[in-house]
Amino acid sequence: MKKIFGALMIAVCIGMAMPAQAQIHFGVKGGLNLSKASFSNVGDNFKKDNFTGFFIGPMAEFNIPIVGLGVDAALLFAQRGIKVSEGNEDLTIKQNGIDIPVNLKYTIGLGSMAGIYLAAGPDFYFDFEKKSGIDKKKAQVGINVGAGLKLLNHLQVGANYNIPLGDTADIEGTDASYKTKTWQVSVAYIFLIVCHFTSYIKKSFR
């Protein structure tokens, strides 16, 4: 809980530090999660495989004109999970929950119609899926690192890697645990709606 609170405070401070001329863009984001577990204290015959899920939800992007800096955040329904096998037994452990990534983003313009961006920041995942025999964490904090393209002022295509800061779950009755590390491929559509902080502040003080 302390990690979650600390990361949220960092995200809030980033947002408060943005100047008044920043712009807010709204959009929809979706894509694929490719998850794989990193295990501790398991036998040599314990094998793992990739799990493929999806994510989708609304997003907001705060941009500072000229300098290329901004912050984006999303509220996503997201599927994560792992596939494992031991001997002849196969097991799939799913995570269905809410994913809230908050990233500091730097964009390098390639003309008026395209740009390359780099992004990094905290990720908050809240798991609603229950599984007997597995003590999964209901809330987890991770770190996002990613990059992508902005096209035609509306479309964003990106790739992202999520690394959890702690174990995702413990396997009951054993000393084994695992982390779910996830590659994400995303597509976002940004709407034309733009809010300017400058205009809002001037109206507020009239």
Side-chain angles (χ1 to χ4, degrees), residues 15-81:
M16 292 179 65
M18 298 179 68
Q21 67 268 27
Q23 301 173 344
I24 308 178
H25 303 262
F26 298 96
V28 177
K29 184 177 184 179
L32 294 177
N33 283 329
L34 185 64
S35 303
K36 194 169 186 176
S38 175
F39 280 87
S40 300
N41 301 319
V42 296
D44 295 334
N45 62 336
F46 203 83
K47 298 181 180 180
K48 54 191 176 183
D49 199 1
N50 294 327
F51 175 90
T52 303
F54 73 92
F55 60 91
I56 190 169
M59 65 169 289
E61 185 177 71
F62 305 81
N63 293 320
I64 304 174
I66 302 175
V67 297
L69 285 176
V71 175
D72 74 3
L75 180 64
L76 308 171
F77 172 79
Q79 291 181 326
R80 299 180 182 178

Side-chain angles (χ1 to χ4, degrees), residues 136-153:
K136 292 191 298 177
K137 304 297 187 293
K138 295 181 180 179
Q140 190 167 16
V141 179
I143 297 295
N144 284 318
V145 179
L149 293 173
K150 292 185 176 182
L151 302 170
L152 305 175
N153 296 321

